[in-house]
């Protein structure tokens, strides 16, 4: 196990800069998830840590060693890929033991270590099978087992669950979490799936177009998003982001006008924090277009003017397309983002005026 340090990492291809000065200190034994949309640079960052991509500038340290110029084999890392990357002509046992054999480990020790890891991952009955005889989940467990037997300082995961079906992804997430608790090894995990990020991470880095938008625990990122991008990306359904403005008295008025006005900003409120109320007390009056009933919950999709809004309701709440749905939210659940910078600003000292000019 080891601490992983990323200092002002930059990556360019010609004149195109892909990563713009990424920095983070990952503590020994910490599970950190890099999350962001496709093309944001998260896999490139992981490959730089692995030594598979050349660093344009910056520094990577594993433990007390700067590894910028070290080959992947010399960095004491193990990587689990999205596509499993198993040797098709080898059995499960051979796949798991191959890395240890080329290191020159004694066969008896190789067998002991492979048997122990296979038992912990439920792979013992499959040790003599070849990858083509395994399911997707079993193949991914073999790929993880192959990494675990090496006992590296750092595990790197590059979207390892994205090829699995929904039910199997849930099962593998639980297995990964239990595995990390048992091993306590430093992990850097890349995904575009925010559910994976929130459920697995000790801390998460939200990346957008090569820029770090926010680093924090899942609860910090969810409850206090640092930017409009984070607010819209984390959460399902995503946060409602509504044009608003302040009056001279400091009240917040919802204003869905297309053109920015003096004092304008973006008001954010999550669907679960919008509560039905009498229309006289409403922050928003939503024209309901579609209702999705999911049993315990319902999602009412509607609009205020041209602005789309989602409200999460208890399953027993009766609402139908065409209804007017007045809702409000407490100030502690309102988020404010600057209209120019899109960064979070403090709502302290401002009251949430119960007003909408489009109903």
């Amino acid at each position: 196990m080891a601490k992983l340090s990323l200092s002002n990492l930059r990556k360019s291809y010609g004149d195109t800069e892909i990563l713009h000065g990424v920095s983070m200190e990952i503590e020994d034994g910490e599970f950190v998830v890099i999350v962001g949309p496709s093309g944001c640079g998260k896999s490139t960052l992981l490959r730089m840590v692995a030594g598979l991509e050349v660093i344009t500038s910056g520094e990577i340290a594993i433990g007390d060693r700067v590894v910028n110029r070290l080959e992947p084999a010399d960095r004491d890392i193990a990587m689990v890929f999205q596509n499993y990357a198993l040797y098709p002509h080898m059995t499960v046992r051979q796949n798991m033991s191959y890395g240890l054999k080329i290191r020159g480990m004694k066969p008896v020790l190789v067998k002991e270590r492979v048997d122990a890891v296979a038992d912990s991952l439920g792979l013992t009955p499959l040790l003599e099978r070849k990858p083509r005889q395994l399911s997707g989940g079993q193949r991914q467990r073999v790929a993880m087992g192959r990494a675990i037997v090496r006992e590296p300082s750092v595990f790197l995961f590059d979207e390892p669950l994205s090829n699995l079906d929904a039910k199997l992804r849930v099962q593998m997430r639980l297995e990964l979490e239990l595995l990390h608790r048992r091993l306590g090894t430093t992990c850097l995990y890349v995904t575009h799936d925010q559910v994976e990020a929130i459920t697995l991470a000790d801390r998460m880095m939200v990346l957008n177009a090569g820029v770090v938008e926010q680093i924090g625990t899942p609860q910090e990122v969810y409850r206090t998003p640092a930017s409009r991008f984070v607010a819209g990306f984390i959460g399902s359904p995503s946060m409602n982001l509504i044009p608003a403005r302040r009056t001279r008295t400091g009240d917040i008025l919802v204003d869905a006008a297309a053109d920015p006005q003096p004092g304008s900003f973006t008001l954010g409120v999550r669907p679960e924090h919008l509560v039905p109320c009498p229309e006289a007390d409403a922050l928003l009056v939503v024209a309901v277009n579609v209702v999705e009933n999911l049993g315990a919950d319902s999602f009412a999709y509607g609009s205020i003017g041209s602005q789309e809004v989602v409200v999460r309701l208890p399953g027993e709440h009766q609402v139908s397309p065409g209804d007017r749905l007045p809702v409000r939210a407490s100030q502690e659940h309102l988020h404010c983002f600057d209209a120019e910078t899109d960064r979070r600003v403090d709502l302290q000292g401002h009251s949430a005026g119960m007003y909408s000019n489009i109903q």
Side-chain angles (χ1 to χ4, degrees):
M1 296 185 290
K3 181 178 179 180
L4 175 61
S5 177
L6 313 178
S7 301
N8 198 28
L9 291 182
R10 296 181 181 272
K11 177 65 178 178
S12 299
Y13 295 102
D15 295 331
T16 304
E17 191 168 22
I18 305 300
L19 292 173
H20 308 271
V22 175
S23 297
M24 187 177 186
E25 296 292 325
I26 301 169
E27 297 302 323
D28 186 2
E30 191 173 21
F31 198 121
V32 169
V33 177
I34 305 171
V35 64
S38 297
C40 71
K42 54 189 184 295
S43 289
T44 299
L45 176 58
L46 195 76
R47 290 172 62 85
M48 289 165 66
V49 175
L52 303 176
E53 291 278 357
V54 177
I55 301 168
T56 301
S57 65
E59 184 177 281
I60 298 173
I62 298 176
D64 56 1
R65 295 190 306 161
V66 175
V67 300
N68 289 29
R69 299 185 182 276
L70 294 183
E71 293 297 319
D74 300 322
R75 296 192 180 199
D76 195 19
I77 56 96
M79 191 164 181
V80 180
F81 296 91
Q82 177 179 349
N83 62 354
Y84 321 131
L86 301 177
Y87 297 110
H89 62 288
M90 293 184 179
T91 64
V92 170
R93 180 183 292 280
Q94 290 168 336
N95 266 282
M96 292 176 64
S97 62
Y98 183 71
L100 302 180
K101 287 182 177 179
I102 63 174
R103 286 183 175 185
M105 183 178 288
K106 293 181 179 180
V108 64
L109 296 178
V110 172
K111 184 179 185 306
E112 286 178 4
R113 193 178 289 186
V114 169
D115 285 346
V117 172
D119 183 62
S120 70
L121 292 175
L123 294 173
T124 301
L126 310 177
L127 283 173
E128 303 311 318
R129 294 189 188 181
K130 292 185 177 179
R132 67 176 178 272
Q133 299 171 300
L134 306 177
S135 69
Q138 290 168 338
R139 292 179 194 180
Q140 196 56 275
R141 285 207 299 274
V142 175
M144 288 192 289
R146 182 179 56 187
I148 293 165
V149 295
R150 294 181 54 191
E151 297 183 356
S153 296
V154 178
F155 283 122
L156 305 177
F157 295 92
D158 189 8
E159 304 200 42
L161 309 185
S162 59
N163 287 338
L164 306 180
D165 62 54
K167 184 176 180 180
L168 196 51
R169 278 202 303 271
V170 173
Q171 179 186 336
M172 291 300 294
R173 280 205 312 268
L174 295 175
E175 290 187 14
L176 266 173
E177 188 170 355
L178 292 171
L179 186 65
H180 179 251
R181 288 183 184 177
R182 187 165 68 248
L183 299 176
T185 307
T186 307
C187 294
L188 190 60
Y189 186 107
V190 158
T191 183
H192 65 272
D193 186 331
Q194 56 168 296
V195 176
E196 284 181 29
I198 290 173
T199 54
L200 289 173
D202 294 324
R203 284 191 300 156
M204 53 198 293
M205 173 195 292
V206 184
L207 203 60
N208 177 31
V211 175
V212 178
E213 293 277 348
Q214 186 171 1
I215 294 173
T217 66
Q219 287 301 317
E220 288 170 347
V221 173
Y222 187 81
R223 292 176 178 172
T224 55
S227 68
R228 175 175 172 148
F229 172 82
V230 176
F233 187 77
I234 300 297
S236 181
S238 60
M239 182 182 289
N240 297 299
L241 297 168
I242 306 162
R245 58 188 174 88
R246 289 190 179 93
T247 67
R248 292 180 180 178
T249 60
D251 287 347
I252 297 171
L253 306 182
V254 173
D255 187 351
D259 299 325
Q261 301 179 19
S264 65
F265 61 95
T266 300
L267 182 69
V269 58
R270 295 204 177 275
E272 64 268 30
H273 294 149
L274 287 171
V275 180
C277 66
E279 189 162 334
D281 299 328
L283 172 64
L284 305 172
V285 178
V286 180
V288 178
N289 300 320
V290 177
V291 178
E292 287 185 345
N293 194 321
L294 303 180
D297 298 306
S298 295
F299 292 106
Y301 296 85
S303 59
I304 53 167
S306 60
Q307 186 68 40
E308 294 182 355
V309 176
V310 184
V311 182
R312 183 174 183 173
L313 301 166
E316 63 272 13
H317 189 92
Q318 296 298 315
V319 63
S320 303
D323 288 353
R324 287 164 53 86
L325 179 62
V327 290
R328 60 171 295 155
S330 61
Q331 183 164 324
E332 65 192 61
H333 292 140
L334 298 179
H335 308 267
C336 182
F337 304 98
D338 186 90
E340 294 182 3
T341 66
D342 282 341
R343 302 301 294 180
R344 183 183 187 87
V345 293
D346 194 359
L347 270 173
Q348 282 290 351
H350 299 286
S351 61
M354 297 300 106
Y355 169 88
S356 171
N357 67 344
I358 297 182
Q359 299 184 9

